[in-house]
Amino acid sequence: MIHSCVRRGRVTPGQQRALDILWPHYGVETVRDLNALFGRDAEKHLEIGFGNGEALVTMAKAHPENDYLGIDMYRPGVGHLLLQIEAAELSNVRVMCADAVEILQDHLPVHSLDSVYLFFPDPWPKRRHDKRRLLQAEFVKLLGQRIKFGGSLHLATDWKAYAEQMLEVLEDAPFFINCVGGFAPRPPERPLTKFEQRGLRLGHGVWDLLYQCQDKSLSTEN
Ligand SMILES: C[S@@+](CC[C@H](N)C(=O)[O-])C[C@H]1O[C@@H](n2cnc3c(N)ncnc32)[C@H](O)[C@@H]1O
C-alpha cells in the first residue's frame, strides 16, 4: 500500500487499481542505494515532477539500458504512470510519490545520478508566488550535490519569466556549466508530450536549458 503522496486529487478506478496492485512492484517509499533498488549497475536518471509520466515512460522505453526514477507528489499521476509501466512491461522504472526536495535532501546519495530532468515545472505565474517555484538557488545546490560530476541537468519550461529565472540561477551556480551558452535548442531526445503539443498549438514558446555538473569543491558540501 502507498503511504506517501503529498497531493491526493481524484483517482480513477484504474489508477486506484494500479496504486493497490502495482505500487508494491514499482513504488518506492525510501531509497539509499540506487543500484540495489534496480538490481543492477546502470546509468541512473531522475525525472522530477513527471506529471502523468508520459516523458518518463518514453525515455525508459527508448533506453532499456538505463534506469529511471520518477518523483511526483500527485497521486492520480502516480497511478497513471504505474498503468503505463505495466502496459509497456518496463523493468527499468521506479516511482516515488513524494516531495522531490525531501527525497534529494534526505534519501538520494551524493553524486549518484547521471542526469536529472525537470520538464515544465509548475510556473507559479503570479509575481508574488515566485518563491514557490521549485528551481531556486538552494534547490540547484542540492541538485549539484546529487548529480555525478559529468552528469547532466535538463530543464524545460513554457513560461518565459521562469525560463529567465532558471537561466539566472544556473548561471550563478558554480557547479553547473551551460552546455551551449544561454538557452538550448530543443534536444530531439526530449519526448514531445501532449502537454507541450497543446502549448505549441496555443502558440506558447518553450525554453530548454542544458547543464553539466562539474567538479567543484562546493558541490560536495552537504
Ligand atoms: C506542470 S506539471 C508538469 C508535468 C510534466 N513534467 C509535464 O511536462 O507534463 C508539474 C508537476 O510537478 C509536480 N511537482 C510540483 N512540485 C513538486 C515537488 N516538490 N516534488 C515532486 N513533484 C512536484 C506536480 O505534482 C506536477 O505533476
Side-chain angles (χ1 to χ4, degrees), residues 159-194:
W159 194 256
K160 188 163 185 276
Y162 200 1
E164 284 162 357
Q165 178 180 327
M166 288 173 172
L167 189 66
E168 194 180 317
V169 170
L170 280 156
E171 292 300 308
D172 274 355
F175 32 91
F176 281 108
I177 187 156
N178 193 314
C179 297
V180 292
F183 294 112
R186 187 187 195 290
E189 60 275 15
R190 180 166 64 71
L192 183 62
T193 60
K194 286 186 195 122

Side-chain angles (χ1 to χ4, degrees), residues 7 47-52 71-74 98-101 119-123 134 193 195:
R7 295 173 60 203
E47 184 178 4
I48 295 171
F50 55 74
N52 68 12
I71 309 177
D72 201 298
M73 306 197 294
Y74 193 50
D99 181 344
V101 180
F119 297 150
F120 304 99
D122 294 317
L134 198 50
T193 60
F195 174 82

Side-chain angles (χ1 to χ4, degrees), residues 47 53-62 81 84-85 88 90 93:
E47 184 178 4
E54 201 182 343
L56 189 62
V57 164
T58 306
M59 293 189 293
K61 268 189 204 167
L81 171 60
Q84 292 180 83
I85 295 172
L90 293 172
V93 182

